[in-house]
Amino acid sequence: LAPPIGPARGSLHELGEARSTVLGVKLDRIMDSVTGQTVMDPKGYLTDLNALNVQSDADVRDIKKARTLLKSVVLSNPKHGPGWIAAARLEEVAGKIPTARHLIAQGCKQCPTNEDVWVEAARLEKPATAKAVIAKAVKALPHSVKLWLDASRRETEKPIKAKILRKA
């Protein structure tokens, strides 16, 4: 194996190993010890995995390492949208939704032309606030099909949906 290039490589590798460990623990938990078959709801599996609470000191250390790594990413390259998204998702997984919203809002300010950052910001917000976030996103990126479709999906009334799609 080649040595990692820079400090980020090792940390990303460690983050991947931590994620694999959590997945392994989850899979072990759902194994049926009597028949050897798995008992798993395939639709709710990922949702359940995301809802897994931090339970051990190792999980806390992994989150702290990832937080430090992602802070370094967004400070060293603030125009890199995926770094902001990853930092916000880490805080979301850690159960710190307000911190995640704050981070992704900073990401929107730093990367106003990245539609994925805007979509993530809308996803993290409450439904009423998400519409305002998408409205700002559409003003910043008026030619983004992804944002216009997201804006129309968030509306419940057909006439308003149609109006949004006509504007697009």
Side-chain angles (χ1 to χ4, degrees):
L1 291 174
I5 301 171
R9 293 279 187 203
S11 298
L12 284 175
H13 179 70
E14 290 171 3
L15 182 62
E17 286 181 357
R19 188 173 186 180
S20 296
T21 302
V22 170
L23 180 63
V25 168
K26 182 67 179 171
L27 289 173
D28 290 340
R29 193 181 307 158
I30 61 175
M31 289 295 292
D32 183 3
S33 61
V34 177
T35 62
Q37 297 176 353
T38 59
V39 179
M40 173 170 81
D41 173 19
K43 290 183 181 177
Y45 175 71
L46 288 177
T47 305
D48 192 36
L49 184 61
N50 285 337
L52 186 64
N53 291 331
V54 178
Q55 297 174 350
S56 70
D57 291 340
D59 292 341
V60 172
R61 281 193 306 272
D62 290 341
I63 287 177
K64 286 182 179 179
K65 283 182 185 178
R67 192 175 281 143
T68 303
L69 170 71
L70 291 170
K71 182 178 180 182
S72 172
V73 168
V74 298
L75 289 176
S76 65
N77 191 1
K79 300 295 182 191
H80 184 65
W84 290 104
I85 294 170
R89 286 187 180 170
L90 175 70
E91 295 302 332
E92 180 186 19
V93 168
K96 297 184 176 187
I97 301 297
T99 305
R101 288 180 183 147
H102 178 72
L103 278 171
I104 204 66
Q106 287 179 323
C108 289
K109 288 177 186 170
Q110 292 292 326
C111 308
T113 58
N114 188 319
E115 65 185 7
D116 292 328
V117 173
W118 285 106
V119 169
E120 183 69 13
R123 187 187 68 79
L124 286 171
E125 289 294 337
K126 296 173 184 167
T129 314
K131 289 180 183 180
V133 170
I134 288 293
K136 285 181 186 177
V138 166
K139 285 181 184 175
L141 296 166
H143 300 293
S144 170
V145 174
K146 190 177 199 177
L147 292 174
W148 282 107
L149 288 174
D150 194 359
S152 71
R153 267 188 244 119
R154 292 179 186 280
E155 290 297 334
T156 55
E157 298 176 26
K158 281 194 175 190
I160 297 175
K161 276 187 178 199
K163 184 179 179 181
I164 289 171
L165 291 174
R166 275 194 302 276
K167 278 185 178 181

